[in-house]
Amino acid sequence: MKDVTKNAIFKRLNGDFEYYARYQRIKQISSRVRVSEYLITTACNIRCKGCWFFEYDFDKRTKDLSKKDEIKKFLISERNRGINTSLIIGGEPTLHPKRLELFAEIMEFNSISTNGLKALPKEGFKDFSVLISLFGGGSLDDDLRAIKPNGNSFSGLFETALKNYKYDPRAHFIFAVTEDGIAHIEETVRKISENGNTVSVNFYSKYGTSNPLRTKYEKRLLDEILRVRELFPETLASHPYYIEAMVTGKSHWGDFGYDVCPSVSVDHPQNAERIKNGNAVLPGFNAYASDCKTVNFCCTSGHCEDCRDSQAVMSWIMINQKRFVKDENLLKIWIEIAESYWHQFVWAHDFRYSAPSLQTSENLNLRNQHHLLKEVG
């Protein structure tokens, strides 16, 4: 935040050096990362129910750019405009490792969103974060995701993803929770824990229904996620504040929606008025279609009334740090939320290798405490 000095942050933390040091780590990585989203293919090896990509025919809007030299030229132009971090989606990115190699060559930080059915090789991609989708949990995951492109169903998709990424430090599950799967949450998180992985929660939007965000048993769902988090604090990384915002769509200052969502493409003409309304957007963020030319409306479907995407909601919270600096407790909550966000990414080394609940002054590996204290007098 430009309008809050380091000294002011230290004072608002009541001189709590541990949290001030944690705040400084967050600001250091936040200042280094400039991200955009890249659809690298319209192809996918499954057809999930509730997948906005196929629900709204994104696979039919553009064709893949397959020429490596043209993809490379595009990525260089992205670096030239200040983007150094990719969130790579599809379709299914693991179907095209040769395209991913270009991101490894050109971008500083890379993450893929995958269904987990096909493993991303370790060779050449050891610094890639692998964000594995999971819908509903338990048997519900197969009901919602284990569907081949020809419409035939199969079983064991979650188990396959666990096998592909067992004890893989790159892997982090993104668990789209739903009230229909309340009974599966504990079992699913336990399996992820036993597999040596971590997980964050998303919200399952029931695309194709009249009200994708409708929840009859909101409190039951929220209570169960929070209960399971207490059981597995080193596995379920999501902060309680974020979990409530994800499930309810509400923060302590307002509701999530298009007018405040920061994950809109800054170069899409339909977002011009949104960008002018004064609410923050991610600097330089664009969501590109697989032709490496078309700028999509936002990070997901563009149907904002049906969306509560985890990355968008988390970005909304993180980019609104100013809403949390009113008192010590709120500021500490924001610091903890930010730590849980960076914990997802293997390339965010200081955060990835310690559970958010265990990030204290004893294990932060602070290099120069006296220097930080000198900064704030």
Side-chain angles (χ1 to χ4, degrees):
M1 278 179 61
K2 295 181 180 179
D3 58 334
V4 180
T5 65
K6 293 178 180 179
N7 194 287
I9 290 292
F10 191 65
K11 287 180 178 178
R12 292 184 193 193
L13 289 169
N14 264 336
D16 189 320
F17 177 75
E18 177 193 317
Y19 269 87
Y20 179 73
R22 292 162 71 169
Y23 172 83
Q24 287 296 92
R25 289 197 317 154
I26 291 162
K27 299 309 287 186
Q28 287 169 6
I29 192 168
S30 297
S31 65
R32 290 181 60 198
V33 172
R34 290 294 177 267
V35 64
S36 276
E37 179 181 272
Y38 305 93
L39 277 155
I40 67 163
T41 181
T42 60
C44 190
N45 45 11
I46 59 176
R47 292 294 185 272
C48 303
K49 296 177 183 178
C51 175
W52 58 265
F53 184 78
F54 290 105
E55 183 70 31
Y56 294 112
D57 294 329
F58 277 76
D59 58 316
K60 299 175 183 177
R61 297 185 184 186
T62 58
K63 293 183 178 181
D64 291 7
L65 180 62
S66 58
K67 295 182 179 178
K68 291 181 65 175
D69 57 339
E70 293 186 15
I71 297 174
K72 185 172 183 178
K73 182 179 178 181
F74 165 71
L75 292 177
I76 291 172
S77 72
E78 285 291 278
R79 287 305 304 265
N80 288 340
R81 76 177 185 93
I83 302 300
N84 67 344
T85 305
S86 71
L87 175 57
I88 306 166
I89 66 173
E92 173 50 47
T94 59
L95 297 177
H96 292 286
K98 293 297 182 182
R99 296 176 193 177
L100 295 177
E101 287 175 356
L102 298 173
F103 285 85
E105 176 186 347
I106 296 169
M107 288 291 180
E108 187 174 357
F109 307 115
N110 294 286
S111 303
I112 69 164
S113 178
T114 176
N115 57 44
L117 187 59
K118 180 178 171 64
L120 180 70
K122 291 184 178 179
E123 185 176 352
F125 305 108
K126 66 181 180 64
D127 295 324
F128 270 56
S129 288
V130 182
L131 307 178
I132 308 164
S133 298
L134 169 64
F135 289 2
S139 58
L140 184 57
D141 185 62
D142 273 351
D143 292 342
L144 295 174
R145 294 200 306 142
I147 306 164
K148 296 178 181 180
N150 64 8
N152 292 337
S153 60
F154 62 101
S155 61
L157 177 53
F158 177 44
E159 287 71 21
T160 299
L162 289 172
K163 182 179 178 181
N164 284 338
Y165 293 101
K166 189 175 182 66
Y167 292 111
D168 191 331
R170 304 172 302 169
H172 183 84
F173 283 84
I174 305 296
F175 184 4
V177 295
T178 169
E179 63 183 355
D180 298 331
I182 289 175
H184 301 304
I185 294 174
E186 180 179 341
E187 170 199 5
T188 301
V189 173
R190 176 179 286 108
K191 287 183 177 180
I192 292 170
S193 178
E194 292 171 350
N195 207 59
N197 308 126
T198 54
V199 58
S200 296
V201 295
N202 195 359
F203 187 87
Y204 179 69
S205 295
K206 300 175 184 178
Y207 290 112
T209 65
S210 60
N211 190 346
L213 297 180
R214 183 171 180 267
T215 303
K216 291 182 180 179
Y217 307 109
E218 185 177 273
K219 187 177 186 304
R220 281 183 55 199
L221 176 61
L222 177 59
D223 288 348
E224 179 63 4
I225 301 168
L226 294 174
R227 185 187 72 83
V228 173
R229 184 185 183 276
E230 290 183 3
L231 291 176
F232 300 97
E234 296 182 39
T235 300
L236 209 171
S238 298
H239 190 277
Y241 185 102
Y242 160 79
I243 293 171
E244 185 165 355
M246 172 58 58
V247 172
T248 67
K250 300 179 183 299
S251 67
H252 70 271
W253 74 90
D255 296 347
F256 179 72
Y258 172 65
D259 60 322
V260 297
C261 179
S263 301
V264 295
S265 293
V266 296
D267 290 330
H268 195 288
Q270 291 183 26
N271 290 324
E273 291 303 314
R274 157 66 188 90
I275 293 169
K276 290 178 183 178
N277 73 9
N279 293 315
V281 296
L282 296 177
F285 178 85
N286 280 327
Y288 288 98
S290 62
D291 60 1
C292 296
K293 179 175 63 176
T294 301
V295 177
N296 288 331
F297 184 78
C298 66
C299 69
T300 59
S301 67
H303 291 254
C304 302
E305 68 281 1
D306 297 340
C307 175
R308 203 172 290 156
D309 177 73
S310 60
Q311 295 291 334
V313 172
M314 179 63 83
S315 296
W316 172 52
I317 293 171
M318 287 184 62
I319 210 166
N320 277 287
Q321 180 195 330
K322 64 183 179 181
R323 308 286 187 175
F324 292 83
V325 297
K326 297 177 180 179
D327 62 51
E328 177 185 357
N329 289 335
L330 275 175
L331 183 52
K332 285 183 175 180
I333 286 172
W334 183 87
I335 291 169
E336 293 166 359
I337 295 168
E339 288 173 338
S340 73
Y341 172 75
W342 293 116
H343 179 78
Q344 298 176 90
F345 306 108
V346 70
W347 41 260
H349 302 286
D350 288 347
F351 300 91
R352 189 68 183 93
Y353 294 106
S354 59
S357 61
L358 302 179
Q359 289 177 351
T360 64
S361 55
E362 284 74 27
N363 61 20
L364 288 178
N365 297 320
L366 303 177
R367 290 187 296 272
N368 193 337
Q369 295 187 5
H370 294 295
H371 174 70
L372 286 173
L373 285 173
K374 187 176 180 181
E375 280 187 349
V376 294

